[in-house]
Amino acid sequence: MPSVELIWALAAASLLLIEALRRRGALRKELRSMRGSYESAVARNEQLTHAADEMATLYRNELLSSRKRAARLKKVLEIATSINSNLALDKVLHEVVHAVADAAGFRIVLLRVLNPRSGCFEARAFAGLDRGAVDKLEQRPVPRAEFDGWLQEKFRIGRSYFIGHEAKFWGEHDEDGFTPDLGERKAGEWHAEDVLFVPLVTKEGAVIGYLSVDDPVDRRRPNREAVETLEILATHAVVALQNSELYERLHESMRQLEEATERGDELNDLKSSFVSIVSHELRTPLTHIRSFVEPLLENVGAPNLEMQREFLTVIDEQSRKLERLIASILDISELEAGRFRMNREPINVTEVVEEVAGLLHPMAQEKGIEIDVDAEPGEVVVEADRSLVRRALLNLGQNAIKFTERGGTVSLKVAREARTARLEVEDSGIGIPRQELAKIFDKFYQIDGSLSREYPGVGLGLSIARSIVEWHGGEIHADSEPGHGSRFTVTLPATAGDAGVITHAAWGSPHSVSDHLTRLTVEMIAEVMHARIASLMLVDEEREELYIKAARGLREEVVSGTRIKMGDSIAGWVAKHGVPLLVTDVEEDPRFGRRNGHQYETKSLLSVPIKSDGRVVGVININNKISCTPFTEDDQALLSSLADRAARAWAHSEAVDDSSERAEGAARALSAIIDNARRARLKLTAGSMATRAAAMGRRLGLSEDDLRALAYVASIHDVGMAQVGWPVLHEPGSLDEETWAQVTQHPARTLEIVKPIEFESHVAELIMAHHERLDGRGYPRGLKGEQIPIGARIIAVLDAYESMTLGRPYRQSMSHDEAVAELRRCAGSQFDPKIVEAFVQTSGVQEDRKAIQAPEAA
Amino acid sequence: MSKGKILVVDDEIYIVHILDFSLGMEGYDVVTALDGEQALEKVKTEKPDLIVLDIMMPKLDGYEVCKTIKSDPGTKQIPVILLSAKGRNVDQKMGFDVGADDYITKPFSPRKLVERINQLLGQAVTERPASSA
């Protein structure tokens, strides 16, 4: 019955939908509070405007004689209240400096704004300066510390500061600065090196910029009126700056909300269109079969053999079509659940491409389409699963043929690149509209309306192709010129650990760790930790420096150009002290604030030492989780564990008397962990089992060492299952004996795979025991009760929960509440009751869990 | 002698094929159309006695075709049987709303469809003098 699989695939789609809706809720809340603060800012702004209006009237009457000045002031006020974009901000600042020039009587006015990222005041608006002077000022931002040094009581007038040239404050002439030529000045007159400035301070007391003036029209030192005018105008600049910042944040959340809403709606649409499309697509061949079978049955024994042959041919063809359809729906659900068995070995992709061209030939011939293969001479070898890659290419090829007119061309290209293979499938077909390009890889996506009838399909082929490519750590993208065809480009990493990792070859390492192992290490860290940026730094003992050996997510020049002194910065601190460091928000952390910001554009980061024989040999840094949540102490436990295993892997590679076989074993272990992490990523239930396990362990009072082991095992415990192959289509109990025997062996397989990088016996215990049951009816050893290590009992509960909420093709997934009820039902027999309760308690608060600062970093 | 002329409209060539066969065996003349626009043309030129109409078709869907036929005084008396994979109640209701005389869901039995056609045409024949009187 295909309907069961269908329901299952639908359940997957609805899970996605629920997740999107949940996120939308959180965003709404944030937006509401943002709106509140925006509204209060607008109100504050109105008050200020009102007050300033009164002041302006005062000035109009008492101080300002010129109508032009009044008009200018009015214009500033008008714009400052209606600020709604950056463009408007620049306009306001421009008006402010010109108003200062006119109203306060200075020919030269400069406004600088603090850039919180760089920590410098940058020149944003000017009056009375020529292009050359502006360029000079723009090129010389003023560091915060320098500015702070000017704020001395002896220079203060009101809220402004006047630094007369007699103060000799600036010392020797500042060559980078700008000093205007004011011509001859008498004593008591404004001097070329006099400086008058007013800091732009928010109501909360934060400095966000300053205004400085030069060359007064009356050639006098500043008087009280001039300073007051200056300060009022400074207030407007502050309001304008704050409004624009608020606006930008509001705008950004608005955009996010819109995106989330759109995504939610899209998923909803996808889901319902999936129902109608799949039911239609399944019914069409079924209709043909049924309607051709009936007359055949009625004519059994009739002499009309021609008719019978013809009808049977149709039935045969349609039942095959039905079979293909069901297979592709199953494929996608298995890929989604990450339960495909991946057999990664060196393959020549040119050979695969030629094979695919052959498979596509009948379909192409039917439409009179020519298939070209353009492959680079020689072999193009990548480590990949041959049948999966063939599958992905076949889907791309079929898609190309489907959308190409009779007599067109489909070409398959193979090119070798530095560490990847590039495969292209190009057609001369109808092309894809620009706005659709981003969506074509979505599950169940189909070009709507008339096109989907002309080009029927379930819309799973491209989605399957993408899952396969991403699982290999590769990339896929499409470009197209509507009316002129489309091109799908796939890049596959040459070796398992090569996806996007840059290594730095120039530095000779005192530790002879192979490039392959370092790449694998970085890849493993990035995949398991789900981090955008991962880097591996090694210690150069001679120079007492750290340098980046390999990294993912960093630009090449950063990788080759970064050297950090021991003790400096975050990585240097970690290397020097030999303990991990967790920073949840770099910008808010006073210890490291701005020194790293420009380098990594980082918010949350985690840094752990790699030790060999008690000596720190390197540091692993990860920045910014892909999920955008900050790293937590549970992540720290996991990363420390991974770092220990990396060190173990390298030890094999270093040892001179060791055979290369053990180094290869270590590499294989790392590769298997990478594959396992990618497969886990494809599951619909987000969130890492490792951090959940650590959170539960923490609640149950496990020691820090036990937590590390637990987090690690939770993230790798099913590595061995991939080798067994998931018996996904069978209900438990319906497995044949041989398959069941394999399943029960998977803990042992896992252990075998990770053994080359393992050194802790209790980790091995956890791996072996995570399928044991409290009542002794588990596998492989039938341990009972307290014989099962507590960590293994924790993983058993999490594993069961995941399996229940994820669903299986033979049954629908359960809701959280249903799964919890089931866990409780089995507490005492299968699971440890106190662990089930700990799970219930941690899972309830999991989502609101706030990150905790690392205590040892203080 | 022909029992009457049936217009079969479906973009699935096999459906057209099997209906041509089944209705032909039953003694009907069959004319065919592969999309909605073609269907409306054939209604004018062929003046069928009954129409078997698919819903999801390129260019013009079955609902639209049915609506057009049923709002034209020259063609509205022609019985229309909608034949569709869309099996939900709302789909059926929409079919009757646009004036269809019957709604059969795919997969379908050609034999039952033929019986239904016989029935409808029998009724139509007996009703015609009454409605014109």
Side-chain angles (χ1 to χ4, degrees), chain A residues 802-843:
Chain A
E802 187 187 75
S803 138
M804 286 189 284
T805 50
L806 191 60
R808 292 284 186 267
Y810 47 82
R811 63 159 164 69
Q812 287 191 51
S813 61
M814 293 185 191
S815 70
H816 170 78
D817 290 342
E818 286 167 341
V820 166
E822 182 64 17
L823 288 177
R824 284 192 165 133
R825 196 180 66 77
C826 301
S829 56
Q830 192 171 351
F831 310 117
D832 183 338
K834 77 170 183 287
I835 286 168
V836 170
E837 284 320 302
F839 169 77
V840 174
Q841 282 157 13
T842 50
S843 69

Short mmCIF file of all heavy atoms in Angstrom, two decimals, chain A residues 802-843:
data_model
loop_
_atom_site.label_atom_id
_atom_site.label_comp_id
_atom_site.label_asym_id
_atom_site.label_seq_id
_atom_site.Cartn_x
_atom_site.Cartn_y
_atom_site.Cartn_z
N GLU A 802 13.72 9.96 19.85
CA GLU A 802 13.96 10.43 18.49
C GLU A 802 13.27 9.52 17.48
O GLU A 802 12.62 9.99 16.55
CB GLU A 802 15.45 10.51 18.20
CG GLU A 802 15.71 11.16 16.86
CD GLU A 802 17.17 11.10 16.48
OE1 GLU A 802 17.64 10.02 16.09
OE2 GLU A 802 17.83 12.13 16.60
N SER A 803 13.42 8.23 17.70
CA SER A 803 12.84 7.29 16.75
C SER A 803 11.31 7.40 16.73
O SER A 803 10.69 7.33 15.68
CB SER A 803 13.31 5.88 17.10
OG SER A 803 12.26 4.98 16.99
N MET A 804 10.71 7.65 17.89
CA MET A 804 9.25 7.75 17.93
C MET A 804 8.76 9.03 17.28
O MET A 804 7.78 9.03 16.55
CB MET A 804 8.75 7.67 19.38
CG MET A 804 8.83 6.28 19.96
SD MET A 804 8.01 6.15 21.55
CE MET A 804 9.17 6.93 22.64
N THR A 805 9.47 10.14 17.55
CA THR A 805 8.97 11.41 17.02
C THR A 805 9.34 11.58 15.56
O THR A 805 8.75 12.38 14.85
CB THR A 805 9.53 12.60 17.83
OG1 THR A 805 10.93 12.45 17.95
CG2 THR A 805 8.89 12.68 19.19
N LEU A 806 10.33 10.83 15.10
CA LEU A 806 10.73 10.92 13.71
C LEU A 806 9.81 10.09 12.82
O LEU A 806 9.56 10.42 11.68
CB LEU A 806 12.17 10.41 13.57
CG LEU A 806 12.88 10.65 12.26
CD1 LEU A 806 12.97 12.14 12.00
CD2 LEU A 806 14.27 10.06 12.32
N GLY A 807 9.29 9.02 13.37
CA GLY A 807 8.39 8.19 12.58
C GLY A 807 9.16 7.18 11.75
O GLY A 807 10.38 7.27 11.59
N ARG A 808 8.45 6.21 11.28
CA ARG A 808 9.01 5.19 10.40
C ARG A 808 8.03 5.02 9.27
O ARG A 808 6.86 5.36 9.40
CB ARG A 808 9.14 3.86 11.16
CG ARG A 808 10.17 3.86 12.28
CD ARG A 808 11.59 3.77 11.71
NE ARG A 808 12.58 3.64 12.75
CZ ARG A 808 13.22 4.66 13.29
NH1 ARG A 808 12.94 5.88 12.89
NH2 ARG A 808 14.13 4.47 14.20
N PRO A 809 8.50 4.50 8.14
CA PRO A 809 7.57 4.34 7.02
C PRO A 809 6.36 3.49 7.39
O PRO A 809 5.30 3.66 6.84
CB PRO A 809 8.41 3.67 5.96
CG PRO A 809 9.80 4.08 6.27
CD PRO A 809 9.86 4.16 7.76
N TYR A 810 6.50 2.56 8.33
CA TYR A 810 5.38 1.69 8.64
C TYR A 810 4.46 2.27 9.70
O TYR A 810 3.47 1.69 10.07
CB TYR A 810 5.86 0.30 9.06
CG TYR A 810 6.97 0.32 10.08
CD1 TYR A 810 6.69 0.48 11.43
CD2 TYR A 810 8.30 0.18 9.67
CE1 TYR A 810 7.71 0.52 12.35
CE2 TYR A 810 9.32 0.20 10.59
CZ TYR A 810 9.03 0.38 11.94
OH TYR A 810 10.03 0.42 12.84
N ARG A 811 4.84 3.41 10.25
CA ARG A 811 3.89 4.08 11.13
C ARG A 811 4.19 5.57 11.17
O ARG A 811 5.28 6.01 10.85
CB ARG A 811 3.95 3.51 12.55
CG ARG A 811 5.28 3.72 13.22
CD ARG A 811 5.16 3.63 14.74
NE ARG A 811 6.45 3.47 15.36
CZ ARG A 811 7.38 4.38 15.40
NH1 ARG A 811 7.19 5.55 14.84
NH2 ARG A 811 8.54 4.14 15.98
N GLN A 812 3.18 6.32 11.57
CA GLN A 812 3.35 7.76 11.61
C GLN A 812 4.18 8.15 12.81
O GLN A 812 4.28 7.43 13.78
CB GLN A 812 1.99 8.43 11.71
CG GLN A 812 1.23 8.37 10.44
CD GLN A 812 0.02 9.27 10.52
OE1 GLN A 812 0.13 10.43 10.87
NE2 GLN A 812 -1.12 8.72 10.20
N SER A 813 4.74 9.37 12.74
CA SER A 813 5.51 9.84 13.88
C SER A 813 4.54 10.22 15.00
O SER A 813 3.39 10.52 14.77
CB SER A 813 6.34 11.04 13.48
OG SER A 813 5.49 12.08 13.08
N MET A 814 5.09 10.20 16.24
CA MET A 814 4.27 10.57 17.38
C MET A 814 4.53 12.03 17.73
O MET A 814 5.58 12.56 17.43
CB MET A 814 4.66 9.73 18.60
CG MET A 814 4.33 8.27 18.47
SD MET A 814 4.74 7.48 20.05
CE MET A 814 4.58 5.77 19.58
N SER A 815 3.58 12.64 18.41
CA SER A 815 3.82 13.97 18.94
C SER A 815 4.71 13.84 20.17
O SER A 815 4.92 12.74 20.69
CB SER A 815 2.50 14.62 19.32
OG SER A 815 1.99 13.96 20.46
N HIS A 816 5.21 14.99 20.64
CA HIS A 816 6.05 14.98 21.84
C HIS A 816 5.31 14.31 23.00
O HIS A 816 5.85 13.45 23.68
CB HIS A 816 6.46 16.41 22.20
CG HIS A 816 7.11 16.54 23.53
ND1 HIS A 816 8.44 16.20 23.74
CD2 HIS A 816 6.63 16.92 24.74
CE1 HIS A 816 8.73 16.39 25.03
NE2 HIS A 816 7.66 16.82 25.65
N ASP A 817 4.05 14.71 23.21
CA ASP A 817 3.28 14.19 24.34
C ASP A 817 3.07 12.68 24.23
O ASP A 817 3.18 11.95 25.21
CB ASP A 817 1.93 14.89 24.44
CG ASP A 817 2.11 16.34 24.89
OD1 ASP A 817 3.20 16.64 25.43
OD2 ASP A 817 1.19 17.14 24.69
N GLU A 818 2.75 12.23 23.02
CA GLU A 818 2.55 10.80 22.82
C GLU A 818 3.83 10.03 23.11
O GLU A 818 3.82 8.97 23.76
CB GLU A 818 2.12 10.51 21.37
CG GLU A 818 0.69 10.89 21.07
CD GLU A 818 0.39 10.88 19.57
OE1 GLU A 818 1.36 10.94 18.76
OE2 GLU A 818 -0.77 10.83 19.21
N ALA A 819 4.97 10.57 22.62
CA ALA A 819 6.25 9.90 22.83
C ALA A 819 6.59 9.83 24.32
O ALA A 819 7.07 8.81 24.81
CB ALA A 819 7.35 10.60 22.05
N VAL A 820 6.33 10.95 25.01
CA VAL A 820 6.61 10.96 26.45
C VAL A 820 5.75 9.91 27.16
O VAL A 820 6.22 9.18 28.03
CB VAL A 820 6.37 12.37 27.04
CG1 VAL A 820 6.32 12.32 28.57
CG2 VAL A 820 7.47 13.32 26.58
N ALA A 821 4.48 9.83 26.77
CA ALA A 821 3.59 8.84 27.39
C ALA A 821 4.14 7.42 27.16
O ALA A 821 4.13 6.58 28.06
CB ALA A 821 2.19 8.96 26.80
N GLU A 822 4.65 7.18 25.94
CA GLU A 822 5.19 5.87 25.62
C GLU A 822 6.45 5.59 26.45
O GLU A 822 6.63 4.48 26.96
CB GLU A 822 5.49 5.80 24.11
CG GLU A 822 6.02 4.47 23.61
CD GLU A 822 5.04 3.32 23.77
OE1 GLU A 822 3.83 3.59 23.98
OE2 GLU A 822 5.48 2.15 23.73
N LEU A 823 7.31 6.61 26.58
CA LEU A 823 8.52 6.44 27.40
C LEU A 823 8.13 6.08 28.83
O LEU A 823 8.73 5.20 29.46
CB LEU A 823 9.36 7.72 27.41
CG LEU A 823 10.10 8.08 26.12
CD1 LEU A 823 10.81 9.43 26.28
CD2 LEU A 823 11.13 7.01 25.78
N ARG A 824 7.12 6.78 29.34
CA ARG A 824 6.69 6.52 30.72
C ARG A 824 6.11 5.13 30.86
O ARG A 824 6.29 4.46 31.87
CB ARG A 824 5.66 7.56 31.17
CG ARG A 824 6.32 8.90 31.48
CD ARG A 824 5.34 9.82 32.20
NE ARG A 824 6.07 10.93 32.80
CZ ARG A 824 5.67 12.20 32.69
NH1 ARG A 824 4.58 12.51 32.02
NH2 ARG A 824 6.38 13.15 33.26
N ARG A 825 5.39 4.70 29.80
CA ARG A 825 4.80 3.37 29.83
C ARG A 825 5.89 2.30 29.95
O ARG A 825 5.73 1.31 30.65
CB ARG A 825 3.98 3.15 28.57
CG ARG A 825 3.00 1.97 28.65
CD ARG A 825 2.21 1.81 27.36
NE ARG A 825 3.05 1.42 26.23
CZ ARG A 825 3.51 0.19 26.02
NH1 ARG A 825 3.22 -0.76 26.86
NH2 ARG A 825 4.27 -0.08 24.98
N CYS A 826 7.02 2.56 29.25
CA CYS A 826 8.10 1.57 29.24
C CYS A 826 9.12 1.80 30.35
O CYS A 826 10.15 1.13 30.40
CB CYS A 826 8.80 1.56 27.90
SG CYS A 826 7.70 1.20 26.53
N ALA A 827 8.89 2.82 31.19
CA ALA A 827 9.81 3.07 32.29
C ALA A 827 9.72 1.89 33.25
O ALA A 827 8.62 1.42 33.56
CB ALA A 827 9.45 4.38 32.99
N GLY A 828 10.86 1.42 33.69
CA GLY A 828 10.85 0.27 34.59
C GLY A 828 11.14 -1.02 33.87
O GLY A 828 11.80 -1.89 34.41
N SER A 829 10.66 -1.17 32.64
CA SER A 829 10.98 -2.37 31.89
C SER A 829 12.13 -2.08 30.90
O SER A 829 13.22 -2.62 31.02
CB SER A 829 9.75 -2.89 31.14
OG SER A 829 9.22 -1.89 30.30
N GLN A 830 11.84 -1.15 29.95
CA GLN A 830 12.88 -0.85 28.97
C GLN A 830 13.81 0.25 29.48
O GLN A 830 15.02 0.19 29.33
CB GLN A 830 12.21 -0.42 27.66
CG GLN A 830 13.17 -0.36 26.50
CD GLN A 830 12.44 -0.14 25.17
OE1 GLN A 830 11.22 -0.21 25.09
NE2 GLN A 830 13.19 0.14 24.13
N PHE A 831 13.23 1.30 30.07
CA PHE A 831 14.02 2.47 30.46
C PHE A 831 14.08 2.65 31.96
O PHE A 831 13.21 2.18 32.69
CB PHE A 831 13.42 3.73 29.85
CG PHE A 831 13.15 3.62 28.38
CD1 PHE A 831 11.86 3.72 27.88
CD2 PHE A 831 14.21 3.41 27.50
CE1 PHE A 831 11.62 3.60 26.52
CE2 PHE A 831 13.97 3.30 26.13
CZ PHE A 831 12.67 3.39 25.65
N ASP A 832 15.08 3.39 32.38
CA ASP A 832 15.25 3.75 33.78
C ASP A 832 14.27 4.89 34.10
O ASP A 832 14.34 5.94 33.49
CB ASP A 832 16.71 4.21 33.98
CG ASP A 832 17.01 4.54 35.42
OD1 ASP A 832 16.05 4.82 36.18
OD2 ASP A 832 18.20 4.54 35.78
N PRO A 833 13.34 4.65 35.06
CA PRO A 833 12.31 5.67 35.34
C PRO A 833 12.90 7.04 35.68
O PRO A 833 12.37 8.05 35.25
CB PRO A 833 11.56 5.09 36.54
CG PRO A 833 11.85 3.63 36.53
CD PRO A 833 13.19 3.45 35.90
N LYS A 834 14.00 7.08 36.45
CA LYS A 834 14.48 8.40 36.85
C LYS A 834 15.08 9.16 35.65
O LYS A 834 15.06 10.38 35.60
CB LYS A 834 15.46 8.31 38.03
CG LYS A 834 16.87 7.85 37.71
CD LYS A 834 17.76 8.04 38.95
CE LYS A 834 19.21 7.67 38.67
NZ LYS A 834 19.42 6.21 38.54
N ILE A 835 15.55 8.39 34.67
CA ILE A 835 16.08 9.05 33.48
C ILE A 835 14.95 9.54 32.58
O ILE A 835 15.02 10.62 32.00
CB ILE A 835 17.05 8.10 32.74
CG1 ILE A 835 18.34 8.04 33.55
CG2 ILE A 835 17.33 8.58 31.33
CD1 ILE A 835 19.28 6.98 33.16
N VAL A 836 13.89 8.76 32.50
CA VAL A 836 12.73 9.21 31.73
C VAL A 836 12.23 10.53 32.31
O VAL A 836 11.96 11.48 31.58
CB VAL A 836 11.60 8.15 31.75
CG1 VAL A 836 10.31 8.73 31.17
CG2 VAL A 836 12.03 6.91 30.98
N GLU A 837 12.17 10.62 33.65
CA GLU A 837 11.70 11.86 34.28
C GLU A 837 12.66 13.02 34.00
O GLU A 837 12.25 14.13 33.72
CB GLU A 837 11.47 11.68 35.79
CG GLU A 837 10.17 10.92 36.11
CD GLU A 837 9.00 11.31 35.21
OE1 GLU A 837 8.64 12.50 35.17
OE2 GLU A 837 8.45 10.42 34.51
N ALA A 838 13.96 12.72 34.09
CA ALA A 838 14.96 13.78 33.80
C ALA A 838 14.79 14.27 32.37
O ALA A 838 14.89 15.46 32.07
CB ALA A 838 16.37 13.26 34.02
N PHE A 839 14.48 13.34 31.48
CA PHE A 839 14.28 13.71 30.08
C PHE A 839 13.08 14.64 29.95
O PHE A 839 13.13 15.67 29.29
CB PHE A 839 14.06 12.47 29.22
CG PHE A 839 13.59 12.81 27.83
CD1 PHE A 839 14.48 13.28 26.89
CD2 PHE A 839 12.25 12.71 27.48
CE1 PHE A 839 14.06 13.63 25.63
CE2 PHE A 839 11.82 13.06 26.23
CZ PHE A 839 12.73 13.52 25.29
N VAL A 840 11.99 14.25 30.62
CA VAL A 840 10.77 15.06 30.52
C VAL A 840 11.06 16.47 31.03
O VAL A 840 10.67 17.46 30.42
CB VAL A 840 9.63 14.41 31.32
CG1 VAL A 840 8.41 15.32 31.34
CG2 VAL A 840 9.28 13.06 30.73
N GLN A 841 11.80 16.55 32.15
CA GLN A 841 12.08 17.87 32.71
C GLN A 841 12.98 18.69 31.81
O GLN A 841 12.74 19.87 31.58
CB GLN A 841 12.70 17.73 34.11
CG GLN A 841 11.64 17.41 35.16
CD GLN A 841 12.25 16.74 36.37
OE1 GLN A 841 13.46 16.71 36.53
NE2 GLN A 841 11.40 16.18 37.21
N THR A 842 14.04 18.08 31.28
CA THR A 842 14.95 18.88 30.44
C THR A 842 14.32 19.20 29.10
O THR A 842 14.56 20.25 28.55
CB THR A 842 16.30 18.18 30.18
OG1 THR A 842 16.03 16.87 29.74
CG2 THR A 842 17.17 18.16 31.40
N SER A 843 13.51 18.28 28.57
CA SER A 843 12.98 18.55 27.23
C SER A 843 11.98 19.69 27.28
O SER A 843 11.83 20.43 26.32
CB SER A 843 12.34 17.30 26.64
OG SER A 843 11.16 17.00 27.35
#
